[in-house]
């Protein structure tokens, strides 16, 4: 998909769809930053990672519902 096509599709999103897409993408970036900053010995029970994964899943589900995919 070319950049112009992608921009056209993004412009056609409703406000709620764009909101959930932005929140999802923001939490994905938070997760990437936290993964870079944590030591390798940290496991899946780390509260920071649990929080990040929770919100990534939450906003991904809400975005999918807004798009009519779920």
């Amino acid at each position: 998909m070319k950049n112009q096509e992608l921009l056209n599709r993004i412009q056609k999103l409703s406000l709620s769809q764009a909101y959930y897409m932005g929140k999802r993408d923001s939490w994905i970036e938070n997760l990437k930053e936290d993964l870079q900053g944590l030591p390798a010995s940290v496991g899946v029970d780390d509260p920071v990672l649990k929080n990040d994964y929770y919100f990534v899943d939450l906003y991904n589900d809400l975005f999918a519902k807004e798009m009519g995919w779920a």
Side-chain angles (χ1 to χ4, degrees), residues 35-50:
L35 285 171
Q36 291 292 324
L38 291 173
S41 62
V42 172
V44 294
D45 292 330
D46 182 70
V48 172
L49 293 180
K50 278 186 172 184

Side-chain angles (χ1 to χ4, degrees), residues 7-69:
L7 289 174
N8 288 338
R9 289 186 184 199
I10 290 172
Q11 286 176 341
K12 293 178 183 177
L13 293 176
S14 71
L15 290 177
S16 60
Q17 291 169 335
Y19 173 78
Y20 289 125
M21 182 178 73
K23 293 296 275 187
R24 180 200 63 186
D25 292 347
S26 174
W27 276 102
I28 289 171
E29 287 302 313
N30 285 347
L31 175 61
K32 287 178 185 177
E33 290 173 10
D34 290 342
L35 285 171
Q36 291 292 324
L38 291 173
S41 62
V42 172
V44 294
D45 292 330
D46 182 70
V48 172
L49 293 180
K50 278 186 172 184
N51 190 48
D52 289 345
Y53 280 116
Y54 172 79
F55 282 107
V56 167
D57 287 342
L58 173 69
Y59 286 115
N60 197 40
D61 289 345
L62 292 171
F63 176 63
K65 286 179 186 174
E66 284 295 319
M67 293 299 290
W69 300 336

